[in-house]
Amino acid sequence: MSEQEAPKIEFPCEDYPVKVMCNSGEHVHEYVVSVMHKHVADLDVERITVRESSKGRFMSVTFFITATGVDQLEALHVELRSHKDVHMVI
C-alpha cells in the first residue's frame, strides 16, 4: 500500500483555521491573541471564537486567518506551543 501525500495548500490561503487548546484564563487568552497579532497583520478579532470546557478548566480559541506561507504557520505553531498553558495547536 502506498503512502498518501499530505494535501498541498496554495498560499495565500484565506479562512485558514487555527485552533489553540489551552488552560482557561485571561492571561493565556491575551498571550494567544498577541501572538496571532504578531504573525497575522490583518487579524480579524471579530471572527475569534472561544469555547470553554464543561468544567471550565480548558478553552479552545479559534482564529480564521489568511495564511501567507509555511514559514508563517510554523512560526505561529512554535511560538504558541512555547507557552506552558498551551496544550495543542491545530
Side-chain angles (χ1 to χ4, degrees):
M1 207 162 134
S2 64
E3 287 185 38
Q4 274 188 320
E5 284 188 37
K8 302 283 184 197
I9 300 172
E10 290 187 30
F11 295 104
C13 179
E14 292 184 24
D15 292 326
Y16 187 89
V18 177
K19 182 178 278 194
V20 182
M21 308 293 287
C22 53
N23 292 337
S24 286
E26 191 62 33
H27 69 285
V28 70
H29 181 266
E30 289 173 3
Y31 172 78
V32 168
V33 172
S34 72
V35 169
M36 294 302 290
H37 271 294
K38 178 179 172 184
H39 294 279
V40 181
D42 60 346
L43 182 65
D44 184 358
V45 295
E46 298 295 321
R47 295 192 64 199
I48 299 172
T49 58
V50 179
R51 294 188 184 209
E52 298 253 345
S53 65
S54 61
K55 295 185 181 177
R57 292 179 45 213
F58 304 101
M59 67 179 170
S60 70
V61 185
T62 304
F63 303 86
F64 290 92
I65 67 170
T66 299
T68 58
V70 173
D71 292 341
Q72 175 200 36
L73 297 176
E74 286 177 356
L76 268 172
H77 188 271
V78 167
E79 190 165 355
L80 288 167
R81 287 285 297 141
S82 71
H83 193 283
K84 67 179 180 66
D85 289 328
V86 173
H87 301 286
M88 189 182 318
V89 180
I90 306 170

